[in-house]
Amino acid sequence: MKKTVKDIEVKGKKVLVRCDFNVPMQDGKITDDVRIRAALPTIEYLKENGAQLILMSHMGRPKGEPKKEFTLAPVAQRLAELLGCEVKFAQSDVVVDDSVKAIVSEMTDGDIVLLENTRYRKEETNNEEPFTGQLASLGEIFVNDAFGTAHRAHCSTAGLAAYMPAVSGFLIEKELKFLGDAVEDPARPFLAIMGGSKVSDKIKVIDNLLDKVDALIIGGGMAYTFYKAMGYEIGKSILDENGIELASQLMEKANDNGVELLIPVDTVCATEFDNDAESHTFRSSQIPPHMMGMDIGPDTQKAFAEEIKNAKTIVWNGPMGVFEMPNFAKGTNAVARAMAEADAVTIIGGGDSAAAVEQAGLADKMTHISTGGGASLEFLEGKELPGVACLEDK
Ligand code: AMP
């Protein structure tokens, strides 16, 4: 167990808090503030307990240079609205300079300062000096609450822990609890649902989960690579050439481990990769040469929903089809609905599946929606995340 903000004295201390304010922006406006809201419990706790908060985050990929379109200024404004108090934005093209140090030195208990985008500095993503030391000069305690970047060893996500006591915020604590309990001590039957486009991207997760789950559903684009491994023709469907052999190995491992493996029995196919293309449903072994699989079919939806109904723990990562196109989002929505109705611990592993669940208006029906797509995948692979490993143990 890692220490959290509750395990240390923060009153009167300058606390450097790494948040995940990597929010989507359009024309200088924040289009979705879920990530800012997710950071509020830790910020509010620290403020109420008399800490002086220096918040850090990255946004987008400015690639080590100051770029106006990636400034965190709009985040400071949104945060101030949500908290109902002042959030001072320490504007600086180099993130830490004398003017920022002056702002920080004048802080009193409960004050909140937000630094500029940490990725304005090229050292950030390489976890290099002098940036880590410059950040460290501002504070006395490091709190990491950015689960979305916890799988990266950057100055602001891990490097700071070498300089000062390091603990987690409530968001990381919650992510570790739900993802950790699901994988280590699941209520059974434990079902994993994997979708998305590439087998090779998710091979390690599937491999690791095959040692833990009772059943595994494969859907989305990666199913066609499994079909290919089974000797089916897949027409113009997406194929991950490098994944064919891996898919065979995974099927063998599922069999050896006694894991029930569910692969779509029918497939909605289209003549083109287009929402309005002509489409038909085929048995999975009968995809015509001129068509491509875009979604799971109705019989598969039923079979998957039945499996979901019987499970007690469900982890889902990756859409069942090209869910960005409404005509091919039905399978993904059906899985989201079945999970919402299930009497089970339901965990959404971030990214596209989280977006699909939000889109379907079912977010509040899930036990936990991870705020980190990449981080939750690496966690499910069984890897230790650098942004977590660097924190003090209880
Ligand atoms: P990933 O990034 O691997 O999780 O994959 C997510 C992407 O997979 C989404 O953008 C989906 O549109 C895409 N996808 C899902 N099913 C299919 C499919 N049958 N054909 C092509 N792309 C798909």
Side-chain angles (χ1 to χ4, degrees), residues 128-334:
E128 280 172 358
E129 297 296 352
F131 187 45
T132 317
Q134 291 170 356
L135 286 173
S137 73
L138 302 175
E140 302 158 88
I141 294 172
F142 170 47
V143 174
N144 190 8
D145 209 22
F147 186 71
T149 45
H151 57 316
R152 305 276 181 235
H154 295 170
C155 301
S156 69
T157 64
L160 278 171
Y163 283 86
M164 59 191 84
V167 300
S168 81
F170 298 130
L171 183 61
I172 284 200
E173 182 191 31
K174 187 170 149 220
E175 293 273 5
L176 295 178
K177 178 178 158 28
F178 281 111
L179 292 171
D181 283 0
V183 174
E184 297 314 326
D185 189 19
R188 292 187 181 274
F190 179 12
L191 166 69
I193 306 173
M194 301 300 291
S197 49
K198 278 192 168 177
V199 180
S200 25
D201 281 358
K202 296 194 181 157
I203 175 90
K204 293 204 202 90
V205 186
I206 299 175
D207 188 55
N208 189 41
L209 287 175
L210 279 174
D211 289 325
K212 305 184 185 287
V213 298
D214 302 294
L216 172 68
I217 282 178
I218 297 285
M222 70 163 78
Y224 306 102
T225 303
F226 279 81
Y227 291 160
K228 200 77 185 167
M230 289 156 73
Y232 294 177
E233 287 310 323
I234 60 168
K236 294 196 289 174
S237 308
I238 186 170
L239 173 67
D240 178 6
E241 284 279 357
N242 299 327
I244 302 174
E245 181 55 35
L246 300 173
S248 299
Q249 290 165 8
L250 291 174
M251 289 192 284
E252 215 173 286
K253 180 164 177 176
N255 190 40
D256 291 348
N257 286 6
V259 172
E260 187 190 355
L261 183 64
L262 287 93
I263 298 180
V265 291
D266 58 352
T267 296
V268 180
C269 294
T271 46
E272 276 173 82
F273 195 73
D274 182 15
N275 184 53
D276 301 318
E278 186 189 329
S279 67
H280 300 284
T281 301
F282 296 94
R283 295 280 104 193
S284 297
S285 55
Q286 284 161 7
I287 299 175
H290 66 289
M291 294 192 99
M292 61 182 80
M294 301 288 276
D295 196 6
I296 57 174
D299 287 351
T300 305
Q301 285 181 28
K302 271 192 218 123
F304 286 4
E306 195 57 32
E307 194 69 28
I308 290 168
K309 201 168 139 194
N310 293 330
K312 285 284 170 233
T313 304
I314 310 164
V315 173
W316 178 23
N317 183 289
M320 297 290 102
V322 187
F323 80 110
E324 297 93 337
M325 301 181 190
N327 286 339
F328 305 110
K330 292 181 189 129
T332 302
N333 288 337

Side-chain angles (χ1 to χ4, degrees), residues 19 32 46 69 76 98-99 122 146 172 236 308 310 379 384:
C19 303
D32 178 354
L46 289 168
E69 63 270 34
D98 287 345
S99 71
K122 62 179 179 344
I172 284 200
K236 294 196 289 174
I308 290 168
N310 293 330
F379 188 89
E384 198 173 33

